[in-house]
């Protein structure tokens, strides 16, 4: 695994660092202080578009749009950028406009017409646009096979009924890729994904959840009541999804691809915690204490190990090699290390941490979600164990 950076990537990281320092960290702190997601009309989002962000990786109907070049960026490069962004503010990274989590799903399973309809507006967006992926429900989180949102065919439409919760960017999204079941008796095999456009009658009751950290982006619950979408809104179209587990597998592929990204985010937050802890320890004369020095060394060692695991998962993806074990290991380990770094930072702060206005205290609240999203630590460890033992996942 070659970890050397070419010049273009080194420059990209340097630009990301500068942007993080000047824009991302301040807007993240502002959202945290005000306790609300960055508003849709915040000038930060306008500047994102001006910098060329918020666009799809799709290369357009004729294959010539710039997106193709973005797609060719290696997974390892994407992970390094994800780590850097999270170093400055992971919540702002998720708040950034763009087709987000479901884009990979649409690129791999969407029909040409669906790519044009749903990714087309992200080629040259005229305004900040978002999309999101809705799997989790009040009664189905880790056990994604248990989702109860129903999809029923009625002539040329699908009718959706159910509710979703904790969905990133849902109330501002142009469309939501909703995971639903056509037959709960069939478990995973009954699952399909549907594009539900903003403003569709029956898509309602958006409620931004209260979150302890990552306040810069909204996590939102909503309901679907007799929500009717055209038959063409079934991801991949009818023939591809019929009679197989493609709907569920596509969702699992999205999560598998996302796990090293969350691991990279956790490493980024962990690095920020280490830097802030060092600064605090230096300013308060704590570096002379052996116990403090030992823990700083342990944090650096474990963060570095987590980072290598994460990059290995990305490297395997770039080589088109299976990486399920590495993706899960990296997420399980990085989220745990990030949380350890946060606990250490809070211990160093003492009463300063209890006041709730130090950056370490914010990062302590932010990093917890890295253990929850896209499969909790327990679930990652179960995936690894089952894969190693050759049991069905
Ligand atoms: C900030 C944030 C953003 C999110 N964004 C999205 C999003 O954009 N889209 C989306 O669809 N979802 C999103 N989620 C939801 C997230 O994916 C779920 O919270 C996660 O899957 C866990 O589900 P749960 O909260 O229902 O916990 P549960 O599934 O109820 O788990 C509770 C606890 O039990 C453990 N547990 C559960 N099953 C087992 C088992 N079989 N063996 C051992 N332990 C087990 C879990 O590890 C956990 O510790 C988000 C959540 C958060 C916190």
């Amino acid at each position: 695994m070659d970890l050397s950076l070419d010049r273009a990537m080194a420059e990209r990281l340097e630009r990301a660092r500068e942007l993080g320092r000047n824009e991302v960290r301040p807007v993240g702190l502002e959202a945290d202080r005000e306790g609300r997601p960055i508003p849709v009309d915040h000038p930060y989002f306008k500047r994102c578009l001006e910098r060329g962000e918020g666009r799809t990786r799709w290369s357009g109907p004729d294959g010539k749009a710039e997106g193709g070049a973005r797609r060719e960026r290696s997974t390892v490069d994407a992970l390094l950028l994800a780590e850097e962004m999270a170093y400055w503010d992971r919540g702002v990274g998720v708040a950034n406009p763009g087709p987000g989590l479901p884009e990979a799903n649409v690129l791999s399973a969407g029909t040409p017409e669906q790519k044009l309809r749903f990714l087309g507006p992200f080629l040259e967006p005229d305004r900040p646009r978002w999309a999101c992926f809705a799997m989790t429900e009040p009664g189905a989180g880790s056990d994604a096979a248990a989702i109860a949102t129903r999809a029923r065919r009625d002539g040329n439409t699908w009718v959706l009924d159910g509710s979703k919760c904790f969905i990133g960017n849902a109330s501002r999204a142009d469309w939501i890729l909703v995971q639903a079941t056509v037959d709960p008796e069939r478990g995973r095999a009954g699952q399909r994904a549907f594009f539900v456009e903003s403003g569709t009658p029956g898509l309602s009751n958006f409620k931004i959840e209260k979150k302890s950290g990552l306040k810069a982006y909204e996590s939102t619950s909503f309901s679907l009541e007799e929500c009717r979408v055209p038959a063409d809104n079934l991801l991949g179209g009818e023939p591809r999804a019929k009679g197989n587990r493609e709907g569920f597998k596509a969702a699992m592929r999205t999560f598998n691809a996302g796990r090293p990204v969350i691991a990279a985010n956790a490493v980024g937050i962990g690095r920020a915690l280490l830097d802030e802890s060092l600064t605090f320890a230096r300013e308060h004369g704590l570096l002379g204490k052996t116990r403090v020095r030992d823990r700083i060394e342990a944090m650096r060692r474990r963060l570095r190990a987590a980072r290598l695991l994460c990059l290995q998962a990305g490297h395997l993806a770039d080589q088109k090699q299976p990486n399920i074990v590495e993706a899960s290991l990296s997420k399980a380990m990085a989220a745990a290390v990030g949380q350890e770094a946060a606990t250490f930072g809070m211990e160093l702060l003492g009463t300063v941490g209890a006041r709730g206005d130090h950056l370490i205290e914010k990062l302590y609240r932010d990093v917890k979600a890295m253990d929850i999203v896209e499969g909790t630590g327990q679930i990652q460890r179960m995936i690894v164990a089952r894969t190693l033992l050759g049991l069905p996942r």
Side-chain angles (χ1 to χ4, degrees):
M1 186 165 77
D2 178 9
L3 293 181
S4 56
L5 295 179
D6 65 23
R7 202 164 135 193
M9 187 57 199
E11 283 171 8
R12 279 196 76 153
L13 276 174
E14 192 43 51
R15 280 200 302 277
R17 224 161 269 142
E18 209 177 299
L19 183 71
R21 191 177 301 112
N22 299 331
E23 288 250 26
V24 175
R25 172 82 46 89
V27 85
L29 287 173
E30 177 189 307
D32 191 65
R33 207 169 40 244
E34 296 185 5
R36 49 103 185 104
I38 307 171
V40 172
D41 58 0
H42 195 288
Y44 169 77
F45 291 134
K46 198 161 163 262
R47 292 197 293 275
C48 285
L49 283 202
E50 285 163 4
R51 284 193 296 270
E53 297 167 13
R55 287 162 168 70
T56 176
R57 292 181 287 142
W58 183 48
S59 44
D62 52 8
K64 290 186 182 151
E66 195 206 328
R70 273 198 291 273
R71 186 151 31 136
E72 278 156 25
R73 196 174 67 202
S74 73
T75 310
V76 167
D77 286 357
L79 292 176
L80 292 171
L81 287 165
E83 179 191 322
E84 195 56 39
M85 185 72 182
Y87 178 94
W88 297 103
D89 198 296
R90 197 264 174 181
V92 176
V94 183
N96 276 0
L101 196 57
E103 182 185 38
N105 223 338
V106 181
L107 286 172
S108 69
T111 63
E113 296 74 28
Q114 289 173 341
K115 287 177 190 163
L116 187 62
R117 262 179 80 199
F118 297 107
L119 295 180
F122 289 89
L123 283 167
E124 287 298 331
D126 49 343
R127 58 174 169 80
R129 292 175 180 274
W130 290 266
C132 66
F133 180 55
M135 170 72 100
T136 304
E137 299 179 358
S142 299
D143 186 6
I147 59 167
T149 294
R150 287 296 297 263
R152 146 177 82 79
R153 184 76 191 245
D154 183 19
N156 268 342
T157 59
W158 283 96
V159 186
L160 302 177
D161 279 287
S163 55
K164 299 286 180 183
C165 60
F166 261 96
I167 310 303
N169 296 322
S171 81
R172 61 187 67 190
D174 283 13
W175 49 266
I176 304 174
L177 192 64
V178 172
Q179 195 80 5
T181 176
V182 292
D183 180 0
E185 299 289 303
R186 291 171 62 204
R188 299 168 172 197
Q191 288 197 18
R192 307 284 184 269
F194 299 86
F195 294 96
V196 180
E197 289 169 274
S198 162
T200 305
L203 170 65
S204 60
N205 294 327
F206 287 101
K207 183 173 162 290
I208 296 180
E209 313 264 8
K210 188 169 184 295
K211 272 194 307 211
S212 56
L214 302 177
K215 296 194 198 256
Y217 78 99
E218 55 157 281
S219 297
T220 303
S221 60
F222 62 87
S223 59
L224 300 142
E225 289 161 23
E226 279 279 305
C227 181
R228 214 167 265 274
V229 299
D232 292 345
N233 285 23
L234 169 62
L235 177 69
E238 205 64 64
R240 196 182 169 110
K242 202 178 256 175
N244 62 30
R245 291 166 53 164
E246 189 54 37
F248 187 76
K249 280 187 183 161
M252 289 305 113
R253 273 200 303 272
T254 302
F255 286 137
N256 190 47
R259 279 170 189 152
V261 179
I262 306 295
N265 289 165
V267 171
I269 303 176
R271 265 181 45 217
L273 279 156
L274 179 59
D275 285 355
E276 293 305 314
S277 299
L278 264 172
T279 303
F280 186 85
R282 194 169 287 120
E283 285 171 0
H284 292 78
L286 296 169
L287 287 179
K289 299 187 189 301
T290 316
R291 288 279 296 134
V292 171
R293 284 209 304 262
D294 278 356
R295 292 195 66 186
I296 286 171
E297 179 280 325
M299 253 168 72
R300 168 140 295 162
R301 170 162 41 89
R302 289 170 59 69
L303 273 170
R304 197 161 285 188
R307 186 169 197 262
L308 284 172
L309 256 182
C310 164
L311 295 178
Q312 190 197 13
H315 175 72
L316 288 170
D318 284 337
Q319 304 298 311
K320 311 262 179 279
Q321 301 276 330
N323 73 344
I324 288 179
V325 169
E326 291 75 12
S328 286
L329 280 178
S330 67
K331 184 177 181 291
M333 176 151 178
V337 173
Q339 287 177 94
E340 271 176 45
T343 303
F344 169 62
M346 285 298 278
E347 282 171 13
L348 267 190
L349 291 188
T351 51
V352 174
R355 287 198 192 103
D357 54 5
H358 194 282
L359 177 57
I360 288 179
E361 188 272 338
K362 173 186 178 292
L363 296 172
Y364 176 79
R365 289 183 280 110
D366 286 354
V367 79
K368 175 59 198 160
M370 302 302 95
D371 187 50
I372 304 175
V373 298
E374 297 189 30
T376 65
Q378 280 96 339
I379 298 303
Q380 304 310 324
R381 292 192 284 278
M382 270 172 49
I383 292 172
V384 174
R386 285 184 176 167
T387 309
L388 292 177
L389 296 174
L391 299 171
R393 285 191 299 276

